[in-house]
Amino acid sequence: MKKLIKEMEEYAKYNDIPIMQLEGINFMCNFIKEHNIKSILEIGSAIGYSAIRMALLDKDIKIVTIERDDIRYQKAIENIHKAGLEKQITIYHDDALETIINGTFDMLFIDAAKAQYIKFFERYESNVKKNGFIITDNLKFHGFVEHKELVTSRNLRQLVTKIGKFVDYLKNREDYETKFLDYGDGIGISRKK
Ligand code: SAH
Ligand code: MG
């Protein structure tokens, strides 16, 4: 299994696929263990790396994950099969802005298009149990969120502004208690009160 994980990390590196940084995924895996999380809804599977890492923590963990890109979805299917985790991971090939997911989960992990974070949050928050968690990745966006003056391209600046707005949005959601952590590219942890 270690070999498969390494292979995925290499594949992501060579093909510019933004899988979670090691520090971030390691933090999240510990968090899942500590809080005894058994059901996870993930938005943005890419090649299945984070889903596989999380599923390997415990055979009672079940993951539903959504990916819209054809090639990444195919690659994720292949990796989940190689890992023998088909029973634990269900992957949907769809645009997560349109998918309808039934049931509730201990944790929602949002790791898809950064500009749409509020939309994902609002679409899937009803799928999170009371006292469950919503985790969002890339809130620092390579440090640009705190140093917008470093961003020269207009498109990138718009994206950085949107992530900053999402951070403010989380701070203002009083029905959640949100902590911001510095691991990896910046992680938000919101507990549903
Ligand atoms: N969680 C993965 C990395 C995800 S990268 C890991 O750490 O291993 C973000 C992924 O979200 C990309 O593969 C992208 O294609 C996907 N994505 C972006 N917008 C999406 C949408 N609206 N619906 C489904 N997937 C989306
Ligand atoms: Mg990410």
Side-chain angles (χ1 to χ4, degrees):
M1 201 60 76
K2 274 210 173 120
K3 191 164 161 259
L4 177 64
I5 302 281
K6 268 271 164 294
E7 261 172 40
M8 284 190 280
E9 288 166 358
E10 295 287 308
Y11 180 92
K13 201 164 149 191
Y14 284 108
N15 295 283
D16 262 321
I17 297 166
I19 63 168
M20 270 201 117
Q21 297 178 14
L22 270 186
E23 201 186 37
I25 185 73
N26 288 341
F27 164 78
M28 212 161 66
C29 286
N30 282 328
F31 185 87
I32 290 166
K33 282 192 276 185
E34 252 169 51
H35 292 84
N36 201 27
I37 286 164
K38 299 295 182 206
S39 54
I40 300 164
L41 173 59
E42 176 184 67
I43 314 301
S45 341
I47 59 170
Y49 175 77
S50 52
I52 289 171
R53 291 274 324 255
M54 295 188 286
L56 286 172
L57 294 172
D58 185 320
K59 61 176 177 12
D60 292 331
I61 292 178
K62 292 265 191 299
I63 299 172
V64 171
T65 182
I66 308 169
E67 174 57 50
R68 71 172 169 196
D69 180 82
D70 298 355
I71 296 169
R72 291 179 186 182
Y73 169 77
Q74 288 305 333
K75 202 71 197 167
I77 290 273
E78 196 183 306
N79 288 329
I80 293 163
H81 176 73
K82 278 188 193 164
L85 289 170
E86 288 104 328
K87 286 211 175 104
Q88 282 177 257
I89 305 175
T90 304
I91 179 166
Y92 293 113
H93 186 200
D94 202 6
D95 181 343
L97 291 170
E98 287 170 9
T99 317
I100 292 172
I101 298 288
N102 293 313
T104 53
F105 297 78
D106 299 332
M107 180 180 126
L108 166 65
F109 173 43
I110 304 176
D111 196 23
K114 317 303 165 222
Q116 315 280 357
Y117 269 8
I118 295 180
K119 283 189 189 154
F120 291 129
F121 192 100
E122 293 184 346
R123 185 169 187 87
Y124 295 108
E125 62 176 315
S126 64
N127 294 101
V128 178
K129 292 176 188 166
K130 184 167 182 270
N131 280 313
F133 296 95
I134 300 181
I135 300 205
T136 38
D137 188 30
N138 305 102
L139 297 187
K140 289 196 295 185
F141 203 67
H142 318 293
F144 289 142
V145 174
E146 276 175 44
H147 295 283
K148 230 163 68 178
E149 71 281 2
L150 297 176
V151 182
T152 46
S153 111
R154 189 159 171 270
N155 281 344
L156 193 58
R157 193 154 349 122
Q158 279 176 349
L159 181 56
V160 168
T161 301
K162 278 211 160 161
I163 298 172
K165 280 199 177 131
F166 179 65
V167 169
D168 291 339
Y169 172 86
L170 289 179
K171 288 179 183 162
N172 288 322
R173 287 288 308 248
E174 288 177 356
D175 44 345
Y176 289 85
E177 182 197 330
T178 298
K179 288 185 185 138
F180 297 95
L181 303 175
D182 253 355
Y183 293 106
D185 197 25
I187 295 176
I189 298 184
S190 311
R191 185 184 60 83
K192 196 186 226 180
K193 291 184 190 166

